Amino acid sequence: MCSTGTNAELQQTSSDPALLLELKTRRPPSLEGRAGCETWSVDFSPDGAWFAWSMGHGIVWVVAWPLDSEDSQNGETDRGDKSFSCGHPVWTLAFGPRPPKSAAAACPDKTGKKSIGNKSLLLATGLENGVIKIWNVLTGDAVFDLHGHEGVVRDLVFPQNGTLTLVSSSRDKTLRIWDLAQKGKKVQVLSGHKDWISSCCVSSDCSMIASVGRFDRMVCLWSLRSYTFIRNLTGGTHKTLYLLSSCDFSPDGAVLATAAFSGSSWWIDLWDPYTAEKLATLVDYFEDYGQNQISAIQFSPNGLHLAMVTDDRALRIWEPGQKGMVMQTKVDRDSNGLCCKYHPQGGVVASGTRDGHVKFWRGPMTVPSLCHLCRSILRHSVSTHQMEPLPLPKRILEYLTYRNIPDLLKTCCSSDEEDWEG
């Protein structure tokens, strides 16, 4: 069911200078703050022209971006707000397909069908009852449902190759890879986790899937090409009892970030997915035991920053290798953060909260250095194993393999300019 209307209100007033806009639902006061109203997931379309928001109670709202745009019509495309009623709580959503960075990198799917054109835009919604509903955003129609998961669908990802492939993870301990070109009739099931899967992500070259188990504390890597298990990343944690909540690949695929928490502390581990080496750990401790956790993380589109959502703040942004945060919002324990998502062009981060609202934040506008750009382009197509035999000076090799990020952040890295001197 799709309807067009204003079931939310836009606010622009705030004492926090980083806050750009805020979306609040117009639900009855009797439903405010009750279970079911959480914003578990938000997403921007690949071209950044649409924003989807799981606003609680089984409703997903899709709006044209930017929200304050006066142009509601774009040729023959209906740019009006759309509301999708899913019938069950929506725990995750994702726009697709996601085109590759270059046309040369486009991959046909395994059935031989070509990737679909830019005129089609789908929205996948993962529900509490294990069903995945596929919607046509531009027409507002429900396309078909995907059945198979036996628990909450916790995460959805369209690989960045332009095909109708969808990766899902669930509390039923499995990941599934769906071929939407065949309406999901062809499914690959990945089993190996011993408990709930909190999150999954796909590398930019579409070779690997990473998944984290909330209670089994497994960080698993899978091959998206052969649908097989690669390895489990373990070792070096300073806690024996902890929960894993989120994961994300850097845009070049050379680093995997995983988020975990235990009692009064949370931390982020950075891994080399090729060698299984732990590159660094970001740790933060809190005074009030058991009241904080980290819910979601995501790399910025240029790979310079990592956004994170914790219970006590709507948003933090960290630059890997540096002490302290590049940006963090004010403490707000009344509006716990649950999810975050960068705009594809960067500059704006959306965060969803437990009270069902969405806030849009102005992210750091750092210009990437030439060193960083060269590393990102090179590492997108060259693995760590291919890098290591190259006759490069040690300092350059450490930079290209991200090994210059200090372990546990005991020391700060020097600037790029200092790294290349001499």
Side-chain angles (χ1 to χ4, degrees), residues 143-162:
V143 183
F144 50 80
D145 293 350
L146 303 177
H147 297 272
H149 280 304
E150 298 178 355
V152 174
V153 180
R154 199 59 190 90
D155 210 354
L156 294 169
V157 182
F158 281 93
Q160 195 175 351
N161 58 7

Side-chain angles (χ1 to χ4, degrees), residues 40 91 128 149-155 168-175 190-200 210-220 222 242-247 259 261 293:
W40 288 110
W91 282 76
E128 189 172 71
H149 280 304
E150 298 178 355
V152 174
V153 180
R154 199 59 190 90
D155 210 354
S168 63
S169 62
S170 169
R171 287 184 178 178
D172 67 5
K173 311 174 189 178
T174 69
L175 296 102
L190 304 181
S191 301
H193 277 280
K194 300 175 183 177
D195 217 310
W196 293 0
I197 301 176
S198 300
S199 174
C200 66
S211 60
V212 294
R214 188 171 184 85
F215 298 106
D216 62 15
R217 299 185 293 278
M218 295 177 66
V219 180
C220 296
W222 315 81
Y242 59 93
L243 303 178
L244 288 168
S245 59
S246 185
C247 61
F261 63 94
Q293 68 180 52

Side-chain angles (χ1 to χ4, degrees), residues 4-5 51 55 87 91 114 177 188 208 255 285 338 373 378-379 384 388 393 416:
T4 302
F51 175 76
M55 60 192 307
W91 282 76
K114 297 181 179 179
I177 303 163
Q188 299 288 338
M208 286 184 287
V255 176
Y285 291 94
L338 293 177
L373 293 174
L378 182 64
R379 291 310 311 274
T384 305
E388 291 176 330
D416 289 335

Side-chain angles (χ1 to χ4, degrees), residues 268-343:
I268 292 173
D269 291 324
L270 301 182
W271 307 83
D272 185 321
Y274 297 100
T275 65
E277 175 187 356
K278 181 179 288 188
L279 301 172
T281 298
L282 171 68
V283 182
D284 198 357
Y285 291 94
F286 296 93
E287 296 179 357
D288 47 348
Y289 183 86
Q291 297 299 314
N292 296 281
Q293 68 180 52
I294 184 167
S295 302
I297 56 175
Q298 192 199 17
F299 277 99
S300 61
N302 60 17
L304 279 178
H305 300 118
L306 186 68
M308 59 195 77
V309 172
T310 56
D311 265 4
D312 66 323
R313 297 179 190 269
L315 186 70
R316 284 180 167 90
I317 296 181
W318 176 54
E319 181 179 344
Q322 299 296 325
K323 285 187 176 180
M325 297 293 162
V326 177
M327 186 201 101
Q328 60 182 1
T329 61
K330 297 179 180 179
V331 174
D332 184 4
R333 296 186 182 277
D334 296 328
S335 181
N336 302 145
L338 293 177
C339 60
C340 63
K341 189 70 65 172
Y342 268 97
H343 188 275

Side-chain angles (χ1 to χ4, degrees), residues 42-86:
V42 296
D43 196 18
F44 288 97
S45 62
D47 61 0
W50 296 93
F51 175 76
W53 162 29
S54 169
M55 60 192 307
H57 302 294
I59 304 296
V60 173
W61 194 36
V62 179
V63 296
W65 181 268
L67 301 181
D68 54 358
S69 174
E70 297 180 358
D71 181 16
S72 62
Q73 298 292 329
N74 182 14
E76 297 179 355
T77 302
D78 178 11
R79 298 280 288 166
D81 301 350
K82 297 172 175 61
S83 179
F84 299 95
S85 179
C86 299

Side-chain angles (χ1 to χ4, degrees), residues 346-412:
V348 175
V349 188
S351 65
T353 61
R354 195 170 293 277
D355 56 14
H357 302 161
V358 176
K359 297 180 179 180
F360 298 90
W361 306 91
R362 183 184 293 107
M365 298 298 291
T366 306
V367 177
S369 67
L370 181 59
C371 296
H372 176 80
L373 293 174
C374 291
R375 176 174 63 180
S376 298
I377 294 173
L378 182 64
R379 291 310 311 274
H380 181 73
S381 56
V382 181
S383 70
T384 305
H385 298 301
Q386 294 170 319
M387 291 292 309
E388 291 176 330
L390 299 179
L392 299 172
K394 181 179 178 181
R395 182 171 295 181
I396 295 178
L397 182 61
E398 288 181 348
Y399 180 81
L400 293 176
T401 57
Y402 290 89
R403 288 169 178 158
N404 66 324
I405 300 177
D407 183 48
L408 298 177
L409 301 179
K410 292 180 179 178
T411 59
C412 280

